Amino acid sequence: MKPTEKYISYLINHSSTVLQSAVKKQFAPYNLAPEQSLVLAILRRENGLTQYEIGEKLKKDKANIARMADNLEKKGFIERIRDPNNRRALKLYLTAQGEKTFDEALTVFKKFDDEISSRVTAEELSEFKRILYKLTSEK
């Protein structure tokens, strides 16, 4: 075991990096980054949120969300419309292309997630999720 591997934060970060890289490859044909897919997922459930609201849900700063929104808009996946009740706020909406792309990418992601999950038993997976939630919940 490498000295850094004794730290849970290192193992979680390393695992995240490995999995993010694999997901990135899965999403490449859709011209979609993993983080961008999270924005689309939120809008798929609740279309018409502001960039601020999306940032709150993803725990991301305004600049990061604005950058992702710019990229998603350029790709034709979302459109930004000024909020008639607050001229400074932009509401984000999925386009038909965005919905289609997200749905296709989600199918690929679910297949990938199933493959990763199959490496452990159902009980191990359940316990792993419980522990992750415990480690990342705010006190």
Side-chain angles (χ1 to χ4, degrees), residues 6 11 20 22 26-27 32 42 47 53 60-61 64 67 77-78 94 97 110 114 131 134:
K6 69 180 180 180
L11 290 171
Q20 283 282 25
Q26 298 287 322
F27 282 178
L32 189 63
I42 287 171
N47 216 5
E53 291 167 327
K60 299 284 182 186
D61 63 58
N64 193 307
R67 208 170 20 257
F77 296 157
I78 66 164
L94 274 179
Q97 181 184 354
K110 284 180 178 177
D114 288 346
I131 291 168
K134 190 173 183 177

Side-chain angles (χ1 to χ4, degrees), residues 68-85:
M68 280 195 282
D70 283 341
N71 288 327
L72 289 168
E73 188 174 39
K74 286 175 187 168
K75 293 174 183 182
F77 296 157
I78 66 164
E79 59 181 338
R80 293 189 280 193
I81 299 174
R82 195 141 317 272
D83 183 346
N85 300 319

Side-chain angles (χ1 to χ4, degrees), residues 81-91:
I81 299 174
R82 195 141 317 272
D83 183 346
N85 300 319
N86 179 355
R87 293 179 355 148
R88 292 181 294 156
L90 292 170
K91 291 196 171 208

